[in-house]
Amino acid sequence: MQSHPNTVFINQKKFKVLLRESEIKQLVSNIAERINEDYFGKKPLFLIVLKGSMFFASDLLRKIELECEIDTVSAKSYGNYMKSTGEVNLMISKLDVTGKDIIILEDIVDTGYTLNKLIEKLKFLNPASIAIATLLSKPAMRKINIDLKYIGLEIPPFFVIGYGLDFSEFGRNLPAIYSHEEE
Ligand code: 5GP
């Protein structure tokens, strides 16, 4: 039995539950199953986009049955606002990706700027392939077309928090995903 409050308040803003723990678990399992099949016989490198993807990555990776590597990259585009700033800071330090099959693990794709920038930078390092697995996608917000190989769920253009996603750094620890709909 799981029980979540139907609404939470973070920084005085009200958020309503959008996806419960059991629903998230199912979405994550579906993605893991597909990756296990598609990459059978390969040794992919999972690249976790911090900080938002850490819960998704941690649950997904424990369902991956492949021999694989894990690395992280830090991205920040929302700052303290509920809208993408369009400016993306990416900290790719000493990634060793040459000749590797990369699977980027992202929490949510909004405008697409973050992933576009990350992919551009990764291509310079000559990986064998690059694929994206994202838990959530907001197609209505897209500014740049990005090929998302694995999508957990497409959602309306709401601002969401929980399960790693923050509102000004708060709300990441919520086990369910909550949305803020403008009134
Ligand atoms: P994009 O570059 O596609 O506009 O945004 C990608 C990043 O912005 C995500 O990795 C995430 O960190 C942040 N982001 C996008 N939409 C949301 C949202 O609804 N809630 C939260 N908390 N972060 C979001």
Side-chain angles (χ1 to χ4, degrees):
M1 268 289 280
Q2 294 166 355
S3 69
H4 303 296
N6 286 328
T7 55
V8 293
F9 283 86
I10 301 281
N11 286 340
Q12 282 130 36
K13 296 259 184 216
K14 187 175 172 184
F15 292 84
K16 287 195 284 192
V17 72
L18 180 72
L19 291 168
R20 296 180 184 279
E21 254 183 293
S22 55
E23 294 168 304
I24 298 171
K25 202 171 167 193
Q26 191 56 54
L27 299 178
V28 174
S29 294
N30 294 346
I31 296 177
E33 215 171 284
R34 289 182 53 204
I35 293 176
N36 283 330
E37 276 175 28
D38 294 350
Y39 285 79
F40 184 78
K42 294 190 173 176
K43 295 181 180 180
L45 164 68
F46 288 93
L47 195 53
I48 306 171
V49 185
L50 296 175
K51 300 178 211 171
S53 308
M54 58 190 177
F55 288 45
F56 169 50
S58 146
D59 284 346
L60 179 96
L61 289 167
R62 281 176 291 172
K63 294 191 183 300
I64 295 297
E65 294 156 2
L66 311 162
E67 215 179 311
C68 64
E69 291 178 80
I70 300 172
D71 213 331
T72 59
V73 61
S74 287
K76 197 169 171 65
S77 70
Y78 260 53
N80 292 334
Y81 306 100
M82 285 205 225
K83 291 214 165 21
S84 192
T85 58
E87 284 171 36
V88 184
N89 291 316
L90 274 174
M91 285 146 252
I92 299 191
S93 46
K94 299 182 190 98
L95 287 182
D96 176 15
V97 303
T98 308
K100 295 183 181 172
D101 291 303
I102 304 175
I103 304 175
I104 299 172
L105 299 183
E106 179 64 295
D107 47 2
I108 187 163
V109 183
D110 187 45
T111 60
Y113 289 138
T114 306
L115 281 180
N116 186 56
K117 193 160 178 185
L118 177 57
I119 290 166
E120 270 178 16
K121 288 194 173 197
L122 287 173
K123 280 185 180 164
F124 275 105
L125 304 173
N126 294 318
S129 66
I130 305 175
I132 298 160
T134 185
L135 180 62
L136 301 174
S137 171
K138 294 193 266 192
M141 299 295 287
R142 204 76 84 245
K143 294 274 196 289
I144 297 182
N145 190 35
I146 303 267
D147 182 19
L148 302 176
K149 188 164 185 188
Y150 307 99
I151 302 174
L153 188 70
E154 290 189 339
I155 60 166
F158 302 148
F159 180 77
V160 294
I161 58 162
Y163 196 67
L165 289 152
D166 73 309
F167 174 33
S168 299
E169 293 302 327
F170 286 89
R172 292 193 198 274
N173 58 315
L174 295 165
I177 293 178
Y178 292 82
S179 68
H180 177 77
E181 297 154 38
E182 299 289 346
E183 274 120 44

